Amino acid sequence: MPRLAAVDAQTYWMSTKIPNDQFLLYGFAGVPADVPRAMREVRGRAQSCPELTVRVEDRGVFTYPAWVRRDVDDTQFAVHPGGTWRECLDEVVRLAERQLDASEMVWKLHVFTPVDGIPGAAGPGAVVVLQAAHALGDGIRSSALAALLLGRAGSVPAVPSPPRFRGAVLPWRAYRAARSHRRLVRDTDAGLVPPQADSRPALRTNARPAGVRSVRTLIRHRAHLSGPTVTVAVLTAVAEALAAHLRALGDDPATLGAEVPMAKTGARHAHNHFGNVSVGLYPLLPVGERRDRIAEDLAMRRRRAEHPAMLAASQAFAAVPAPLLRWGVAQFDPTLRSDTVTGNTVVSSVNRGAADLRFGDAPVVVTAGYPGLSPMMGLTHGVHGIGATVAVSVHAAESAIGDVDAYVERLDAALGH
């Protein structure tokens, strides 16, 4: 049986301390003429995909968990009453209270129909939400699996299985990682590689999430977002809206920054193949300069991530023996607080490709996602595109921003039209 890669096992074990299921939402124009048949089609695609017919089996402290076969069954599908688009989003928040047990199933499909007010749909439509354990995949891989379920042609490549006795190579990989790190320090001092991003002061958005949790989604056409990339355009708008909102709540947003998941370079050797980077948001700069600085920050984080030392560090981590990594995860205390953070909010951006998905005979018109909150993060943003439609989503705790609709109004204005 293929073992979980170290980073995937860490993600699986951490889910008991910080829930990390992902919720990938797809809205369709129209209700399928035969909803049960549409669900059977999805189930058939899932059953024929080896990457979706698995669960996690953890066999003890001395070894890594393994991916084991699990046939697709009725427990992985749920049909919910329809309603309005807002009511559907409220239900997605409640779904997050019922996290999956990856030892039983690593994904579940939720269907809402009929739903009124889906962006891009002229009348009642359907909403499909894929709930997926984070160990199954990062945002890019989970999006590819969801697309397969919803009719996209092709397959999702398997992730190579880690070597059985991976711990045997740890001493050599650790030595190589240390040597590469010394080179990274020299290259940084010489100005050949950007320095590591500085931490920034925690703000109200980094308080432990409390009170009502809400999600909202704004829709834009890709061509109407001003910037070199969609991600930069949204970060620029978040800087303006969040700074103004925090200032009104009594926080000083001068050092505002975001934590941005960034795909790693090189071949994928784990279901989760990304790292989080820190990006300044520069809310005090004029919008054009701010956009340029954000783009520059992202480019610098990418350049540093491509240094050979980062690959060597990842390879060393992949060889850590299971008991040692288990012990490390067990030491994590989610109740501890810090005065400094990587970012004051999260902005996770994934392009989900062409608008070629269908649920039965209903075509997709929008897709969205709502990155989870954590003990040090009460406000997150999702940026998800399908075809020419981009959804900019907000997931917030009341403790982080107070009136979520007031913040979304500011973000709506900052994004432009």
Side-chain angles (χ1 to χ4, degrees), residues 85-101:
W85 171 247
R86 174 66 65 84
E87 290 168 342
C88 184
L89 296 187
D90 290 343
E91 183 59 29
V92 172
V93 175
R94 288 188 282 271
L95 289 178
E97 299 170 1
R98 303 189 291 275
Q99 297 280 307
L100 299 176
D101 179 351

Side-chain angles (χ1 to χ4, degrees), residues 142-377:
S142 295
S143 295
L145 292 169
L148 186 148
L149 285 173
L150 295 170
R152 182 170 293 164
S155 61
V156 178
V159 175
S161 178
R164 186 171 181 83
F165 301 105
R166 65 183 113 185
V169 300
L170 178 60
W172 164 244
R173 288 188 177 181
Y175 165 75
R176 191 171 60 182
R179 185 179 62 184
S180 296
H181 180 73
R182 289 193 293 271
R183 176 184 167 189
L184 174 62
V185 172
R186 292 194 302 269
D187 290 347
T188 302
D189 290 342
L192 302 175
V193 178
Q196 184 173 346
D198 293 329
S199 297
R200 59 196 72 249
L203 298 175
R204 175 178 175 140
T205 50
N206 299 111
R208 184 179 302 281
V212 176
R213 300 189 182 203
S214 306
V215 297
R216 300 287 189 269
T217 295
L218 298 168
I219 304 299
R220 290 294 186 274
H221 190 282
R222 188 180 301 273
H224 297 162
L225 292 171
S226 178
T229 67
V230 167
T231 303
V232 170
V234 174
L235 284 166
T236 304
V238 167
E240 179 177 332
L242 185 53
H245 197 80
L246 289 174
R247 197 176 292 113
L249 294 172
D251 261 2
D252 179 2
T255 60
L256 194 65
E259 188 174 327
V260 180
M262 179 177 286
K264 292 182 178 180
T265 58
R268 177 185 287 271
H269 292 286
H271 289 238
N272 286 271
H273 187 64
F274 75 100
N276 291 325
V277 300
S278 178
V279 176
L281 292 182
Y282 309 103
L284 302 183
L285 293 179
V287 63
E289 292 181 39
R290 183 194 319 143
R291 185 184 304 122
D292 292 343
R293 288 292 299 275
I294 290 172
E296 182 182 358
D297 268 17
L298 284 169
M300 289 195 300
R301 294 308 109 216
R302 170 61 69 194
R303 281 177 53 205
R304 187 173 177 87
E306 290 173 346
H307 191 278
M310 300 306 178
L311 175 60
S314 294
Q315 291 175 336
F317 178 79
V320 171
L324 182 58
L325 186 55
R326 284 180 188 270
W327 179 86
V329 172
Q331 306 316 301
F332 176 77
D333 184 353
T335 67
L336 294 179
R337 310 298 300 166
S338 173
D339 293 332
T340 59
V341 293
T342 303
N344 306 115
T345 186
V346 166
V347 179
S348 178
S349 182
V350 179
N351 182 355
R352 291 180 174 161
D356 56 354
L357 311 182
R358 304 186 77 84
F359 182 53
D361 54 356
V364 70
V365 289
V366 67
T367 185
Y370 309 92
L373 308 183
S374 69
M376 287 293 298
M377 189 63 72

Side-chain angles (χ1 to χ4, degrees), residues 4 12 15-16 21 54-59 65-70 99-107 133 135:
L4 271 68
Y12 170 61
S15 66
T16 63
D21 281 1
V54 295
R55 64 178 180 85
V56 176
E57 185 169 277
D58 204 349
R59 293 188 165 184
W67 297 108
V68 298
R69 170 80 182 187
R70 183 204 196 278
Q99 297 280 307
L100 299 176
D101 179 351
S103 67
E104 295 180 0
M105 68 180 75
V106 292
W107 64 270

